[in-house]
Amino acid sequence: MAVEFLNQLLQVLASPYLLSLSALGVLLGIVFGCLPGISSTMSLAILLPVTYGMSPEAAMVFLMAVFSASVYGGSISAILINIPGTPGSIVTQLEGYPLARKGKAGEALFYSLFASTVGGFLGLVVLMLVAPLIASAAMHFRSPEFAMATVFGLTMLAYSTPGSTFRGVMSGAIGLLCGMVGFDVMTDVPRFDFGTAALQNGVELVPVTIGLFGLAEVMRNIDGASLAQRMTVTLGRLLPSVADINRLWPAMLRGSAIGIGVGAIPAAGSAIAVAVSYAQEQRLSPRKKEFGTGVPEGIAGPEASNNACVGGALIPMMTLGIPGDTMTAVLMGALLIQGLRPGPQLFADNAGFVAAVYVGLFVALVLTFIFGLLLVRQFVRLLQTPSHVLLVLITLLCIVGSFAIRNNMTDVYVMLAFGIIGYVMAALAIPVAPLAFGLILGPLIEENVRRSLVVSDGSWMIFFERPLALALLLLSLVALLYPMLSTTLWPAIRRRKADNLKTEA
Amino acid sequence: MKQAESHVDPKTDPRNRIAAGAFFAVWAVIGWISMLSNVQIAGVDFGLDPGPGLMPTIVLTIVSAGSLSLMAVGLAGLMKGQLPPIPWRSVARQMIMPLLLVGSLLGYVPLIRWIGFLAANALFASAWMIILSAADLRREPVRALLPILLGTAIGVGMIHFVFIYWIGVPLR
């Protein structure tokens, strides 16, 4: 893999086209990331259509740049105007904004940029080391293991919105149903098409994601659209002392380790990673009581964690075809459009492409650091952009982007329908992300379950007889039952024990 | 809508449970109608393959059972206790803009065919920017007008350049 990585790196560095694509992706990623209301997922969803005409390698170089840079971009608004640009930068504001109010906004931004770069690189290194091992192990998977791994992934993805696992499972089930629309791949029988030709080709993933994560988000925010947030802090000096930076290494390394670990768990996501990292820094810091007043470790740890999550979340997506979060779900859509299905076979058949993904992330991290240092004052100025201008332009991008997939108006109407569905779901407190995951994983689950049943002559015991499939099935059951046990059964047992102790006393 | 019910957690509010259950029930009903009326699924022998009806049946059963249980829990909660009234007026006010946006998009799509992509985009963008900055236009007309003009010109121009000239999307 090291040779392929170097080959691809040289190709990208020698190609002005690929380099400028990466630079453009980084610029757009930082800009979108720093604007409140535009999440990394939304940035990826609305920019995905731009990659239709590109080669798979060029598309991934561009999208990895948007992905990685938008994660850093979120911290700019968190530090300067106390509003996180992305969910992953939610705790950065806790220390970043107070530091900025002390006149050290420039330093806070540097801590965030430096920690993001360190976390991003460590995440990439672990991705490069671990992904081939998992992919190689997954090569021994057969249909029952794949079916159960996908079921486990989908179960975990139902956790993507804490506190609503049941609704997450139901939302995932709706996604599975949407994935079944159109001709069945094994028998060519049309399903859920209601006799219309438009639905016989199935529901395309990209208009669905643009609708759910783009248009629905615009609909939710459009009522509060107003003039730009006024910045009340001054930037000050940009570079802290070397001693100040060196003091942050332990926090950055801890944050990176947390980010990689949490990111690799499907659905855990960067918001959880940064919260864990911040709590950890607060616990270990000798300046515990100063947290909340602008402690640099409270920026560096979570920011390293936030960017390390990128590499972590790519591990299950690249090796098993299970997206780690909503952003990797959109990236997976990009791969599917290019005719590439992530999974162990991708490593065996397209090692060059896998290396292009790594290189795309590597170059994006370097360019994010360079642009973050050189253009910080320009990015700050962008925060003055009125939100209504952005929302209207994003709406237009949603329309054009969904049309551009197949030059087909049906996709525009599908996007509109899922925009409305996403809005209604959010209003009813139903998580939307599992729907997208269900749509991606549905065909995989169905194909592998049916293949397994064909092999076993119709016996469902095949899922219990193979140890790995059984283990994954049990893990899925534990994941499904855990919320119920933790809220009802365990407290009841604890109460009974306490009552018994009281009676004995 | 979430703000309107801020005093009760939406996920535990019985009325929300009933509404969420009804949302899933709609999917289940549409799914079952389509499945049961599909003669190709029911009437064909697929050999060793369990057939294209297996997964839809499993998933629709989960969705149906889930939606019924959500509604049942919601109804039980509704009968149990007093709940604060839903501020329907505020809920309706919050839905005006999103509904207007969807309505305008439904009109915008055919508009592309009639007046062309560039003109439709410019019209849509400027109209919406004016609607959204109506209050700002009254308060600070010059400060509010500049972003509208610049946003429409640069934004629409960029979208046109990237999608029509660069990617070659056939929208004129």
Side-chain angles (χ1 to χ4, degrees):
Chain A
M1 185 49 74
V3 178
E4 274 126 9
F5 177 81
L6 284 174
N7 267 340
Q8 283 291 340
L9 183 61
L10 286 175
Q11 271 183 41
V12 173
L13 294 178
S15 160
Y17 171 65
L18 290 176
L19 263 184
S20 45
L21 263 186
S22 184
L24 181 68
V26 165
L27 284 174
L28 289 170
I30 298 178
V31 170
F32 281 178
C34 82
L35 295 168
I38 305 180
S39 62
S40 301
T41 311
M42 191 184 194
S43 311
L44 276 172
I46 57 178
L47 289 172
L48 176 59
V50 175
T51 64
Y52 293 156
M54 297 178 191
S55 67
E57 286 79 9
M60 285 318 280
V61 164
F62 177 73
L63 290 173
M64 292 309 295
V66 175
F67 183 14
S68 162
S70 66
V71 171
Y72 157 69
S75 66
I76 297 177
S77 57
I79 289 168
L80 296 178
I81 55 173
N82 205 22
I83 300 173
T86 56
S89 56
I90 206 146
V91 300
T92 307
Q93 72 192 89
L94 299 179
E95 300 305 321
Y97 188 62
L99 198 59
R101 290 196 64 168
K102 289 178 184 171
K104 293 180 176 177
E107 283 182 41
L109 285 172
F110 182 82
Y111 293 139
S112 158
L113 177 65
F114 191 68
S116 293
T117 311
V118 170
F121 273 120
L122 291 175
L124 173 63
V125 169
V126 173
L127 169 70
M128 286 175 64
L129 293 175
V130 172
L133 299 178
I134 297 178
S136 147
M139 286 296 278
H140 303 292
F141 279 24
R142 294 292 171 263
S143 290
E145 283 81 20
F146 267 120
M148 289 305 117
T150 322
V151 167
F152 176 62
L154 191 60
T155 314
M156 290 303 290
L157 292 167
Y159 277 90
S160 56
T161 310
S164 45
T165 314
F166 178 71
R167 291 174 188 225
V169 171
M170 294 288 282
S171 173
I174 300 298
L176 291 177
L177 285 177
C178 293
M180 293 171 200
V181 173
F183 287 113
D184 170 43
V185 277
M186 289 173 84
T187 57
D188 267 349
V189 170
R191 294 179 300 185
F192 303 119
D193 65 332
F194 299 95
T196 57
L199 287 174
Q200 281 175 348
N201 288 330
V203 178
E204 275 282 330
L205 175 65
V206 180
V208 173
T209 51
I210 295 178
L212 289 177
F213 303 119
L215 186 65
E217 202 68 38
V218 171
M219 287 169 72
R220 276 199 292 278
N221 290 320
I222 202 156
D223 206 32
S226 63
L227 286 178
Q229 296 286 336
R230 287 173 201 270
M231 215 176 82
T232 53
V233 298
T234 47
L235 212 52
R237 102 187 150 132
L238 284 177
L239 291 175
S241 67
V242 176
D244 283 343
I245 299 168
N246 281 341
R247 251 202 311 273
L248 300 178
W249 277 105
M252 289 190 288
L253 294 176
R254 278 193 295 266
S256 303
I258 292 168
I260 296 163
V262 175
I265 302 168
S270 57
I272 295 173
V274 295
V276 173
S277 172
Y278 184 77
Q280 188 72 0
E281 289 316 311
Q282 196 171 17
R283 198 174 64 84
L284 296 173
S285 172
R287 300 154 63 189
K288 274 188 196 74
K289 287 182 181 162
E290 289 172 42
F291 265 68
T293 62
V295 178
E297 285 87 344
I299 302 171
E303 274 303 309
S305 177
N306 194 11
N307 265 53
C309 261
V310 173
L314 283 170
I315 295 174
M317 190 272 261
M318 297 281 289
T319 57
L320 299 171
I322 297 170
D325 53 24
T326 48
M327 292 169 278
T328 42
V330 179
L331 275 181
M332 207 167 145
L335 291 186
L336 295 174
I337 284 174
Q338 301 282 354
L340 297 164
R341 181 164 274 286
Q345 210 57 41
L346 188 70
F347 284 75
D349 300 342
N350 280 296
F353 174 78
V354 174
V357 174
Y358 299 158
V359 170
L361 187 53
F362 177 81
V363 175
L365 287 166
V366 174
L367 290 177
T368 304
F369 188 73
I370 294 170
F371 289 160
L373 269 184
L374 299 179
L375 302 175
V376 67
R377 290 183 197 281
Q378 281 68 31
F379 293 135
V380 170
R381 229 172 266 153
L382 277 168
L383 283 175
Q384 314 289 326
T385 311
S387 57
H388 60 254
V389 172
L390 292 167
L391 291 176
V392 173
L393 295 179
I394 289 168
T395 309
L396 287 178
L397 276 175
C398 291
I399 295 275
V400 188
S402 44
F403 177 83
I405 307 162
R406 298 185 288 193
N407 298 333
N408 186 344
M409 273 298 167
T410 307
D411 291 329
V412 177
Y413 291 113
V414 168
M415 186 279 295
L416 271 175
F418 276 90
I420 298 167
I421 290 168
Y423 177 76
V424 172
M425 287 174 78
L428 294 173
I430 301 168
V432 291
L435 195 156
F437 300 141
L439 183 59
I440 293 172
L441 298 178
L444 268 179
I445 295 179
E446 179 168 25
E447 193 185 326
N448 286 300
V449 165
R450 281 166 65 184
R451 273 206 189 136
S452 307
L453 291 173
V454 169
V455 171
S456 69
D457 215 0
S459 166
W460 288 84
M461 286 309 288
I462 191 166
F463 299 111
F464 299 94
E465 285 162 354
R466 298 177 70 96
L468 193 55
L470 178 64
L472 288 163
L473 178 64
L474 290 175
L475 280 173
S476 308
L477 283 174
V478 169
L480 271 176
L481 295 176
Y482 176 77
M484 203 174 73
L485 295 175
S486 64
T487 53
T488 54
L489 193 65
W490 289 336
I493 292 172
R494 252 184 253 129
R495 262 198 310 275
R496 188 169 292 175
K497 269 187 185 168
D499 289 346
N500 286 346
L501 279 175
K502 266 186 208 165
T503 321
E504 281 168 24
Chain B
M1 207 177 280
K2 265 190 275 182
Q3 274 175 352
E5 295 175 49
S6 57
H7 29 289
V8 182
D9 178 9
K11 283 172 214 140
T12 52
D13 185 334
R15 293 162 301 189
N16 181 287
R17 282 188 165 139
I18 294 171
F23 172 82
F24 291 119
V26 170
W27 286 89
V29 169
I30 295 172
W32 281 120
I33 289 173
S34 175
M35 274 291 291
L36 297 173
S37 59
N38 193 331
V39 286
Q40 283 178 281
I41 290 180
V44 182
D45 178 21
F46 298 99
L48 283 175
D49 178 15
L54 174 75
M55 286 305 282
T57 307
I58 293 173
V59 179
L60 281 170
T61 307
I62 292 170
V63 175
S64 307
S67 67
L68 286 176
S69 66
L70 255 179
M71 285 195 281
V73 173
L75 277 173
L78 206 58
M79 285 190 283
K80 224 187 271 174
Q82 287 270 315
L83 288 162
I86 297 173
W88 287 112
R89 195 170 288 184
S90 138
V91 171
R93 219 181 10 247
Q94 282 172 34
M95 287 174 70
I96 290 173
M97 281 299 190
L99 285 175
L100 200 63
L101 180 72
V102 173
S104 66
L105 283 174
L106 288 172
Y108 157 84
V109 175
L111 198 68
I112 298 173
R113 300 222 185 276
W114 296 335
I115 62 170
F117 181 65
L118 193 62
N121 267 359
L123 194 68
F124 181 88
S126 53
W128 262 103
M129 284 181 204
I130 288 168
I131 292 170
L132 291 175
S133 49
D136 301 324
L137 275 167
R138 274 194 298 273
R139 215 173 31 240
E140 300 169 273
V142 179
R143 187 170 174 249
L145 200 62
L146 193 67
I148 294 174
L149 293 173
L150 281 177
T152 305
I154 297 173
V156 172
M158 285 289 283
I159 289 172
H160 199 79
F161 172 77
V162 171
F163 284 92
I164 308 299
Y165 289 102
W166 191 18
I167 303 179
V169 175
L171 278 170
R172 294 275 168 191

